[in-house]
Amino acid sequence: MASQWRRDNDDGPADRSPHFFKIILLNAVQEGKLRILDKFVQKFGVDLSDMAFLTIPNGRKWKVKLTQHAGGVWFQNGWSEFASSHGVAVGHLLVFKYEGNSQFHVLIFDATATEIDYTLDDELQVHRIEDDESDDSSVEIIKHFYRGEGSGSAHPKKDGGVAKNLVIANAFTSENPLFTVIMRPSYVNGKDRASLPQDIINYLPRDGFTKDYTKASILPVKLQIVDRLWPVKLYIYERRGGSSCVVSAGWTAFVRENSLQVGDVCVFELIMRDGVLFNVHIFKCQD
């Protein structure tokens, strides 16, 4: 829905910038892309290029490729990294304010309707922009849709058990800290990295960290399933807008050897034993 927010009284000028909102559904998480509302595209599509810029309240700007298929226009290359960096998950609400020239201001609200704390991860963003350059989408393809030549409807993937898995995961209890992560395309595609909830940082020990050339703080940890262990490393990035946590250096092996797929739900149970260990509980997404 494309709309304009106006004040309820006449005491000041109305905000005439068009807005629309999107509630994050399972298919957006599973497919790693987000469809722009058709009514917005029909009204403002002629102003869009094949590259959009998303700005969050801390001033950080993200570069995301626009693509056209299934009768619609989508935020695609770069979207998954944007969502991952800010912990966007099923049930979150995003408000897009359009400023013209493919520029959007974005507000992110979690499932409790509370605006999130915005964090930064420059390393992820650099990687995302480099990936964007290899995309073969073009402005002309998108503008064919704007001119009314596109037709059809999107057919989202079926639930696949993710909603049920989330219910089970949220019901899981322990005396230890728990962190729930839904597997996204960027987590299982062999890039050997996945973003973990920012709150993990609050439970980690103060010592045991090292530094590398990226200026990240690195902590060796272990992932455990039953009696098997996988060594990995946590990378903590401290930025002006906050902190972010990435698991890498062994993550690909963990994904491969446990046959993780997009939509699977993992609950990380933090256990302090002989260093930092996460007991991982996997809830598989059934086709």
Side-chain angles (χ1 to χ4, degrees):
M1 178 181 68
S3 64
Q4 293 181 350
W5 286 353
R6 297 179 181 274
R7 297 185 181 181
D8 294 332
N9 55 59
D10 296 325
D11 294 337
D15 182 355
R16 301 185 63 86
S17 298
H19 295 67
F20 66 89
F21 71 87
K22 293 286 292 187
I23 297 174
I24 301 302
L25 302 178
L26 291 171
N27 64 298
V29 174
Q30 293 174 329
E31 298 176 355
K33 62 180 184 290
L34 185 70
R35 182 169 180 155
I36 300 177
L37 292 174
D38 291 348
K39 288 186 178 179
F40 176 86
V41 173
Q42 291 166 6
K43 188 170 183 180
F44 299 100
V46 294
D47 188 46
L48 295 175
S49 67
D50 64 341
M51 191 68 70
F53 298 89
L54 310 181
T55 303
I56 56 177
N58 63 15
R60 187 59 169 165
K61 183 176 290 187
W62 293 75
K63 188 177 180 183
V64 179
K65 201 86 167 182
L66 294 180
T67 60
Q68 186 265 318
H69 58 90
V73 177
W74 306 71
F75 294 117
Q76 192 156 355
N77 284 20
W79 171 258
S80 183
E81 287 75 12
F82 172 84
S84 297
S85 184
H86 300 100
V88 175
V90 174
H92 283 201
L93 171 70
L94 276 64
V95 180
F96 295 84
K97 178 182 178 182
Y98 187 55
E99 298 289 352
N101 298 319
S102 299
Q103 306 276 345
F104 295 85
H105 284 270
V106 185
L107 301 179
I108 305 172
F109 298 84
D110 65 21
T112 68
T114 302
E115 191 170 6
I116 69 166
D117 291 327
Y118 299 94
T119 61
L120 298 177
D121 187 343
D122 291 343
E123 297 303 318
L124 280 176
Q125 186 182 29
V126 170
H127 189 72
R128 173 183 52 76
I129 290 176
E130 291 174 349
D131 287 348
D132 285 345
E133 300 304 323
S134 64
D135 187 78
D136 59 1
S137 302
S138 69
V139 180
E140 293 305 315
I141 293 176
I142 296 175
K143 291 202 172 181
H144 286 168
F145 176 83
Y146 300 156
R147 296 182 184 123
E149 297 174 20
S151 61
S153 59
H155 299 280
K157 292 181 179 178
K158 294 183 179 180
D159 184 325
V162 182
K164 181 179 179 180
N165 288 346
L166 282 171
V167 171
I168 297 172
N170 289 333
F172 185 85
T173 60
S174 171
E175 295 180 353
N176 300 311
L178 300 173
F179 310 93
T180 301
V181 178
I182 301 174
M183 293 299 103
R184 304 178 180 183
S186 61
Y187 296 178
V188 299
N189 61 5
K191 293 184 179 178
D192 196 32
R193 63 188 301 145
S195 294
L196 299 183
Q198 180 188 4
D199 288 348
I200 286 179
I201 299 172
N202 299 327
Y203 295 89
L204 297 176
R206 296 289 183 180
D207 54 359
F209 285 89
T210 59
K211 293 281 188 178
D212 72 352
Y213 70 97
T214 68
K215 298 183 180 179
S217 297
I218 305 170
L219 179 68
V221 304
K222 295 178 181 178
L223 306 180
Q224 175 177 284
I225 295 181
V226 190
D227 58 354
R228 185 172 178 187
L229 298 173
W230 287 263
V232 296
K233 292 181 180 180
L234 293 185
Y235 289 75
I236 310 300
Y237 296 96
E238 301 287 347
R239 311 298 184 191
R240 286 177 298 174
S243 303
S244 61
C245 180
V246 174
V247 58
S248 186
W251 174 252
T252 296
F254 179 80
V255 168
R256 181 182 63 251
E257 293 169 22
N258 289 286
S259 301
L260 290 178
Q261 302 290 331
V262 173
D264 290 347
V265 179
C266 294
V267 175
F268 291 76
E269 180 183 6
L270 177 58
I271 300 173
M272 304 300 291
R273 184 176 67 224
D274 297 327
V276 178
L277 181 146
F278 289 95
N279 193 15
V280 184
H281 308 270
I282 300 177
F283 302 91
K284 300 295 291 185
C285 179
Q286 302 298 322
D287 294 329

